[in-house]
């Protein structure tokens, strides 16, 4: 396996669901986006004017958490960082998707579109490069033998 930080970012490029919220508050489902061609250490979110998260960070960045869990990408992580509202039509254009478009009547030029950046500071993560069948084989084997699963991935803290 490459270093954990590189593996994290490689996996995040294909993660399509996560739970995002301010530190100490409830998390809500959001779609994280990492720009494939720009390795800037930022996870992007598009939301609408007037949502609780948007209002909370409109004036200044705040401490936040992002939790992702994706068997297909082999990444499970609880990520601490800073959430801020950013104005950049270039980034909106880059991270826009058909799914995002369903929420905005006038598409990416809708007056209610708001861009938020999440800058990770640290994460507690498990990263596995096993394919799904290999992973489930290790779990089933451990269940049958009574042992704990062996070598199901890297686990630890990542500092960004």
């Amino acid at each position: 396996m490459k270093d954990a930080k590189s593996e994290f970012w490689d996996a995040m490029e294909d993660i399509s669901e996560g739970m995002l919220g301010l530190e100490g508050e409830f998390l809500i489902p959001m779609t994280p986006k990492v720009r494939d061609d720009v390795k800037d250490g930022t996870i992007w979110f598009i939301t609408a004017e007037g949502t609780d998260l948007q209002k909370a960070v409109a004036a200044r960045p705040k401490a936040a958490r992002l939790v992702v869990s994706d068997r297909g990408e082999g990444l499970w992580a609880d990520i601490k960082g800073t959430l801020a509202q950013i104005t950049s039509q270039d980034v909106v254009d880059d991270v826009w998707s058909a799914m995002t478009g369903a929420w905005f009547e006038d598409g990416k030029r809708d007056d209610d579109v708001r861009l938020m950046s999440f800058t990770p500071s640290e994460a507690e993560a498990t990263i596995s490069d096993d394919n799904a069948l290999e992973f489930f084989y290790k779990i089933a084997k451990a269940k049958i033998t009574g042992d704990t699963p062996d070598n199901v991935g890297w686990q630890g803290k990542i500092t960004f």
Side-chain angles (χ1 to χ4, degrees), residues 52-102:
D52 289 342
L53 275 178
Q54 181 274 324
K55 290 188 292 188
V57 298
R60 65 179 177 82
K62 294 202 174 155
R65 284 180 61 211
L66 172 63
V67 176
V68 295
S69 176
D70 191 308
R71 169 72 246 151
E73 292 304 314
L75 177 64
W76 298 264
D78 184 358
I79 311 156
K80 292 180 181 180
T82 303
L83 188 65
Q85 183 171 297
I86 304 292
T87 302
S88 172
Q89 192 60 48
D90 288 341
V91 176
V92 170
D93 291 344
D94 195 28
V95 301
W96 192 263
S97 69
M99 179 183 284
T100 304

Side-chain angles (χ1 to χ4, degrees), residues 18-63:
M19 299 292 287
L20 177 67
L22 298 180
E23 193 63 45
E25 296 188 17
F26 288 109
L27 306 178
I28 61 168
M30 294 287 286
T31 301
K33 293 289 187 178
V34 173
R35 298 169 74 187
D36 294 333
D37 59 336
V38 180
K39 306 295 184 195
D40 61 4
T42 304
I43 302 169
W44 299 96
F45 297 90
I46 293 178
T47 192
E49 171 72 27
T51 62
D52 289 342
L53 275 178
Q54 181 274 324
K55 290 188 292 188
V57 298
R60 65 179 177 82
K62 294 202 174 155

Side-chain angles (χ1 to χ4, degrees), residues 15 17 22-23 30 32 34 41 53 59 64 72 77 81 84 87-88 95-96 113-114 121-122 129-130 138 152 155 160:
I15 299 283
E17 293 118 13
L22 298 180
E23 193 63 45
M30 294 287 286
V34 173
L53 275 178
T87 302
S88 172
V95 301
W96 192 263
V113 170
R114 294 295 178 269
S121 58
E122 64 181 355
D129 54 8
D130 290 345
K138 289 177 179 179
V152 292
Q155 293 179 312
F160 298 95

Side-chain angles (χ1 to χ4, degrees), residues 135-150 152:
F135 176 81
F136 288 117
Y137 168 78
K138 289 177 179 179
I139 299 299
K141 178 182 167 193
K143 185 74 171 162
I144 291 168
T145 63
D147 294 331
T148 58
D150 55 317
V152 292

